[in-house]
Amino acid sequence: ELIINQKPWGIILFKRNVKNMDQLKELTSRIRFLMRDPCYPIMIDEEGGRVSRLSGIVDISNFPQKLFGKLFEKNKSLGINSYNEYLHFICQILKESGININTIPVLDILKNNTHKVIGDRSYSKNLNTINVLKKLCFTVLNKFKIGSVSKHIPGHGCSNIDTHKKLSVVNNSLDSLFKKDFKAFKNTESKFSMTAHIIYKKIDPKNCATHSKKMINLIRKKIGFTNIIMSDDLSMKALKFSISENTKKAFTAGCNLVLHCNGNLKE
């Protein structure tokens, strides 16, 4: 009823929506039938490691992004070949199941104080490692015609807060942010980027990136991301307003899409 009447731009699926491959294929087919669009956007968070929504189909809990970063830093060809095989495996499952957007890669650069909510979801502390592996990620996803979503732009690695639970304020200098965190998001070939619910105090002391015209403008002009910007989940506790107000503020700031993930139909 929601899909037919409200016609959302796309749908994001979670572990609660995925029991097995047959059920998932039926679900994605049904959604596209209702929308009368064979290419209708159906998205999932399938990062590997701790963030895996396909555990009803395949167990990839031992394959976080950081594993491939470590492999690459020990042996470049081993790291690249392993990550390439892994991405092909995941993309084949996504393609068969009818999912055409995956919210990877996580481009947050690890710091000493990075909150564990990011942790092994990130490739590395090393910018070169991130740049090499993100390029491979874009290449393989493009090959399978699966949209990639770089996150959490302009960088969550500088935060020691879990934004699912609380708003984060980062005091890092502009020089530090541009040389590390923001730089990881330059030259991304993603069709999408997902915002961080973080206040970067030196740029906009009042609004988190999702709600900040200054930050979205920086993402466009300084970082150079020109494709679709979507918010992170609007039902996260970092955002203190109602869903309606959070939505309006995100669009006013310059987000092209907003993401709602808790499955609360009233909202």
Side-chain angles (χ1 to χ4, degrees):
E1 190 178 330
L2 177 75
I3 293 167
I4 293 167
N5 293 338
Q6 302 303 325
K7 294 183 171 53
W9 182 89
I11 298 288
I12 183 165
L13 301 179
F14 286 90
K15 189 175 178 179
R16 61 180 179 260
N17 308 118
V18 181
K19 293 191 177 86
N20 54 57
M21 180 60 91
D22 289 341
Q23 170 268 333
L24 180 56
K25 285 163 78 169
E26 189 177 338
L27 176 61
T28 56
S29 297
R30 184 70 180 151
I31 290 168
R32 291 200 169 99
F33 173 77
L34 293 174
M35 291 303 297
R36 296 176 183 173
D37 180 358
C39 300
Y40 184 71
I42 301 178
M43 179 164 61
I44 200 163
D45 276 328
E46 192 52 45
E47 295 175 8
R50 290 176 290 135
V51 181
S52 174
R53 316 304 187 191
L54 296 176
S55 56
I57 296 171
V58 63
D59 180 8
I60 53 167
S61 57
N62 292 321
F63 298 95
Q65 280 192 184
K66 193 175 182 184
L67 169 71
F68 299 105
K70 280 183 174 178
L71 282 173
F72 175 77
E73 285 161 5
K74 285 182 180 176
N75 182 315
K76 286 185 170 54
S77 64
L78 176 64
I80 287 171
N81 291 336
S82 301
Y83 192 40
N84 184 54
E85 290 288 330
Y86 166 82
L87 288 169
H88 274 79
F89 174 69
I90 291 303
C91 285
Q92 283 164 353
I93 293 172
L94 295 176
K95 195 79 176 170
E96 186 180 343
S97 68
I99 292 165
N100 56 3
I101 303 172
N102 190 15
T103 66
I104 59 171
V106 177
L107 298 184
D108 305 317
I109 187 166
L110 284 173
K111 308 281 186 69
N112 291 333
N113 68 334
T114 301
H115 192 278
K116 63 184 180 183
V117 74
I118 299 298
D120 62 0
R121 296 166 63 196
S122 166
Y123 291 120
S124 179
K125 291 182 176 181
N126 186 294
L127 198 56
N128 180 60
T129 300
I130 292 171
N131 285 334
V132 171
L133 296 184
K134 78 181 183 188
K135 191 165 185 183
L136 177 57
C137 181
F138 299 141
T139 299
V140 177
L141 266 65
N142 283 339
K143 176 181 171 183
F144 282 87
K145 296 188 167 72
I146 293 170
S148 58
V149 183
S150 296
K151 60 189 186 186
H152 305 82
I153 202 167
H156 208 301
C158 51
S159 169
N160 60 3
I161 299 284
D162 179 355
T163 50
H164 292 90
K165 298 175 181 176
K166 186 178 171 184
L167 179 63
S168 176
V169 179
V170 167
N171 287 299
N172 296 32
S173 70
L174 286 177
D175 186 57
S176 159
L177 289 169
F178 275 103
K179 280 184 177 172
K180 292 276 188 177
D181 301 85
F182 297 177
K183 199 169 183 180
F185 288 87
K186 277 186 164 286
N187 305 313
T188 58
E189 297 163 33
S190 282
K191 297 293 186 284
F192 307 88
S193 279
M194 183 187 292
T195 60
H197 295 332
I198 293 174
I199 290 176
Y200 301 86
K201 204 167 182 182
K202 296 289 191 291
I203 300 160
D204 186 338
K206 291 184 178 178
N207 302 295
C208 71
T210 307
H211 286 166
S212 171
K213 283 184 181 178
K214 286 181 182 175
M215 290 306 305
I216 300 297
N217 190 51
L218 179 146
I219 289 166
R220 294 296 194 198
K221 301 286 173 62
K222 302 280 189 186
I223 294 175
F225 183 75
T226 57
N227 290 329
I228 295 169
I229 296 176
M230 72 170 72
S231 75
D232 203 345
D233 178 16
L234 294 183
S235 51
M236 285 162 66
K237 291 185 172 68
L239 305 184
K240 60 183 178 181
F241 305 101
S242 67
I243 287 293
S244 175
E245 192 65 19
N246 283 335
T247 301
K248 288 173 186 170
K249 283 180 174 290
F251 282 137
T252 301
C255 291
N256 306 114
L257 297 171
V258 293
L259 193 58
H260 182 270
C261 298
N262 68 13
N264 183 330
L265 286 176
K266 288 181 182 176
E267 289 183 356

